[in-house]
Amino acid sequence: MIKIINKIWFLLIISGIITAAINGQMSQISSAIFQAAADSVLICIGLLGPMAFWLGLMKIARKGGLIKVLSDIIRPIFKYIFPDIQHNQDALGAIILNISANILGMGNSATPLGIKAMKELQKLNPDPEKASPAMCTLLALNTSGLTVIPATMIGLRAAAGSSNPAIITITTIFATMISTITALLLDRTFRMFRGHKNE
Amino acid sequence: MNNIINRVSIWSVPLIVIIILIFGYIRGVKLYEEFTSGAAESLEIILKIFPALLAMLTAINIFQAAGTMDLIISHFGVFFEKLNIPIQVIPLLFLRPLSGSASLSYISKLFENFGVDSIIGLTASTIQGSTETTFYIIAVYFGAVGIKKFSYSIFVGLAGDLAGFFAALFICNFLFK
């Protein structure tokens, strides 16, 4: 398997540095690097709090059997999207929570819950260094975005003095549906194609 | 409408907390102990996320700082104009999957220069709200569990972003022009 991430990473950095040399922006490069270093720590710290909170809460939910109740109700829908893990309570439950947080626009919570879902899927993963099909599907759902109410953008528009900040809700729902459907279809196609190769 | 949205977002988290706690209490769960034990899992997750995030941000920042984006735009701008795509939103196609905050600041500038309610402002807002920061999510989600082989995920993620981008262009053009 070609580790494309290595190439992308290299390409991004080298094209950046070369362009900077041409552009005369070389002075920005060092600060860019160390700004990134600082920012990554800040992001991690910011993520740690809400994540700890949700993980703690979810543990209670799991031990209380609440997750099982929820996933039993929702499983019929999910078996189409995640056919290979439909019988695993913990994984399904975590995924449901992640998707719900996404839909409700709870960005801070969606990420920790998504990570928790990944962990559950990892337990079922035969090759721990390679993304399993279910993980790819979950990622496809998350990267394409499922937000129904784009709260952040509405807030930004209101702050910028828009006469109708929330008007983008309709357009956003449309665009996000197209993006999610595309991602899911492609993901399913790749999944079938990859399944073939394994035989 | 705004009122309802507000009400829902204020209530959603407390409601979830109450439901989970009461459910747990009835079922005899040791609330405090399980909560703290679950919360502790976050530490090992963050430890795994950090290096992946660092790598992503470093590459993205360098790419941005060098002005590679502007270079691409200035060379390919004409091509996009022919397709009736407002060139001002093109940078978003590249920025959005890379960095949410970069695209947000770019959009703020678009608001200043063209107006929040202009078609450019509306399209940009739609683009921002309808997709996620693909590379960040990949780094964080896969990084948290130690996945190194991403398989087709990057492609799928970017394809979703691309589809969302064009869908946003289409719908805003359709509704607001």
Side-chain angles (χ1 to χ4, degrees), chain B residues 26-173:
Chain B
I26 295 174
R27 296 286 179 99
V29 178
K30 299 182 194 142
L31 300 179
Y32 178 83
E33 291 172 46
E34 298 294 350
F35 179 81
T36 48
S37 139
E41 291 171 24
S42 62
L43 284 168
E44 63 165 291
I45 295 178
I46 288 288
L47 277 179
K48 292 214 183 108
I49 292 178
F50 173 67
L53 197 59
L54 176 65
M56 278 297 169
L57 278 182
T58 306
I60 290 167
N61 271 20
I62 290 179
F63 190 74
Q64 253 192 284
T68 327
M69 188 65 51
D70 304 321
L71 208 67
I72 297 178
I73 303 301
S74 58
H75 274 99
F76 292 108
V78 189
F79 170 61
F80 290 115
E81 261 169 13
K82 297 240 173 84
L83 288 177
N84 224 347
I85 301 173
I87 44 165
Q88 291 83 2
V89 292
I90 300 294
L92 280 176
L93 177 62
F94 300 100
L95 280 177
R96 189 68 184 93
L98 286 175
S99 164
S101 38
S103 44
L104 268 179
S105 37
Y106 183 77
I107 291 179
S108 299
K109 292 203 196 106
L110 282 181
F111 284 171
E112 272 176 46
N113 293 335
F114 294 97
V116 203
D117 295 319
S118 64
I119 192 164
I120 288 178
L122 289 163
T123 310
S125 308
T126 307
I127 293 171
Q128 179 76 1
S130 60
T131 60
E132 301 291 327
T133 312
T134 302
F135 282 106
Y136 167 76
I137 292 195
I138 291 181
V140 169
Y141 281 42
F142 281 167
V145 286
I147 300 277
K148 302 234 170 62
K149 299 180 198 155
F150 296 166
S151 199
Y152 41 84
S153 292
I154 297 184
F155 187 76
V156 172
L158 291 177
D161 293 337
L162 194 70
F165 179 80
F166 283 109
L169 281 175
F170 169 75
I171 192 75
C172 286
N173 227 4

Side-chain angles (χ1 to χ4, degrees), chain A residues 1 3-5 8-9 12-13 15-17 19-20 23 25 28-29 32-33 35-37 39-41 43-44 47-48 51-61 63-66 69 98 106 110-111 114-116 118-119 122 125 127-131 133 135-136 139-140 142-145 147 149-150 153 156-157 160 162-164 166-168 171-172 174-176 178-179 182-183 186-187 190-191 194, chain B residues 2 5 8 12-13 16-17 19-21 23-24 27 29 31 34-39 41-46 49-50 53-63 65-68 71 98 104 107-108 111 116-117 121-122 124-126 128-138 140-142 144-157 159-161 163-164 167-168 170-172 175-176:
Chain A
M1 172 119 286
K3 289 202 197 157
I4 196 167
I5 187 65
I8 292 181
W9 196 67
L12 280 174
I13 295 184
S15 63
I17 295 186
T19 315
N23 264 354
Q25 305 261 52
Q28 320 273 42
I29 296 295
I33 292 176
Q35 186 66 42
D39 285 344
S40 50
V41 175
I43 293 177
C44 283
L47 210 53
L48 186 61
M51 189 187 298
F53 172 73
W54 284 110
L55 285 180
L57 209 62
M58 285 315 127
K59 188 149 199 203
I60 297 178
K63 293 261 162 153
L66 184 61
V69 170
N98 164 247
M106 304 199 292
T111 308
I115 291 172
K116 177 66 174 169
M118 278 294 173
K119 285 200 88 182
Q122 181 71 328
N125 189 4
D127 179 356
E129 286 215 336
K130 185 169 176 189
M135 287 179 171
C136 292
L139 197 90
N142 274 282
T143 58
S144 60
T147 323
I149 303 171
M153 273 326 289
L156 202 77
R157 289 171 55 78
S162 164
S163 54
N164 189 353
I167 197 174
I168 52 157
T171 55
T172 310
F174 177 79
T176 212
I178 301 279
S179 138
T182 310
L186 260 174
D187 172 71
F190 274 112
R191 187 197 275 228
R194 197 171 83 159
Chain B
N2 274 331
I5 298 175
V8 170
S12 41
V13 174
I16 293 175
V17 174
I19 292 176
I20 292 181
L21 288 184
F23 213 87
R27 296 286 179 99
V29 178
L31 300 179
E34 298 294 350
F35 179 81
T36 48
S37 139
E41 291 171 24
S42 62
L43 284 168
E44 63 165 291
I45 295 178
I46 288 288
I49 292 178
F50 173 67
L53 197 59
L54 176 65
M56 278 297 169
L57 278 182
T58 306
I60 290 167
N61 271 20
I62 290 179
F63 190 74
T68 327
L71 208 67
L98 286 175
L104 268 179
I107 291 179
S108 299
F111 284 171
V116 203
D117 295 319
L122 289 163
S125 308
T126 307
Q128 179 76 1
S130 60
T131 60
E132 301 291 327
T133 312
T134 302
F135 282 106
Y136 167 76
I137 292 195
I138 291 181
V140 169
Y141 281 42
F142 281 167
V145 286
I147 300 277
K148 302 234 170 62
K149 299 180 198 155
F150 296 166
S151 199
Y152 41 84
S153 292
I154 297 184
F155 187 76
V156 172
D161 293 337
F170 169 75
I171 192 75
C172 286
L175 286 181
F176 301 125

Side-chain angles (χ1 to χ4, degrees), chain A residues 60-197:
Chain A
I60 297 178
R62 212 177 351 123
K63 293 261 162 153
L66 184 61
I67 305 279
K68 186 172 192 305
V69 170
L70 272 176
S71 42
D72 281 342
I73 300 173
I74 312 231
R75 189 185 302 127
I77 311 171
F78 272 60
K79 73 175 179 195
Y80 287 113
I81 309 180
F82 292 100
D84 45 345
I85 54 150
Q86 56 173 302
H87 294 296
N88 187 292
Q89 315 287 13
D90 293 333
L92 257 189
I95 292 174
I96 290 168
L97 290 167
N98 164 247
I99 292 180
S100 314
N102 259 307
I103 293 177
L104 291 174
M106 304 199 292
N108 281 342
S109 315
T111 308
L113 291 171
I115 291 172
K116 177 66 174 169
M118 278 294 173
K119 285 200 88 182
E120 292 299 330
L121 289 178
Q122 181 71 328
K123 290 181 193 164
L124 308 167
N125 189 4
D127 179 356
E129 286 215 336
K130 185 169 176 189
S132 67
M135 287 179 171
C136 292
T137 307
L138 182 64
L139 197 90
L141 279 174
N142 274 282
T143 58
S144 60
L146 292 163
T147 323
V148 174
I149 303 171
T152 319
M153 273 326 289
I154 296 179
L156 202 77
R157 289 171 55 78
S162 164
S163 54
N164 189 353
I167 197 174
I168 52 157
T169 310
I170 324 159
T171 55
T172 310
I173 292 179
F174 177 79
T176 212
M177 265 186 0
I178 301 279
S179 138
T180 305
I181 292 173
T182 310
L184 280 178
L185 283 176
L186 260 174
D187 172 71
R188 182 50 64 93
T189 312
F190 274 112
R191 187 197 275 228
M192 289 193 297
F193 188 55
R194 197 171 83 159
H196 252 269
K197 272 181 161 184

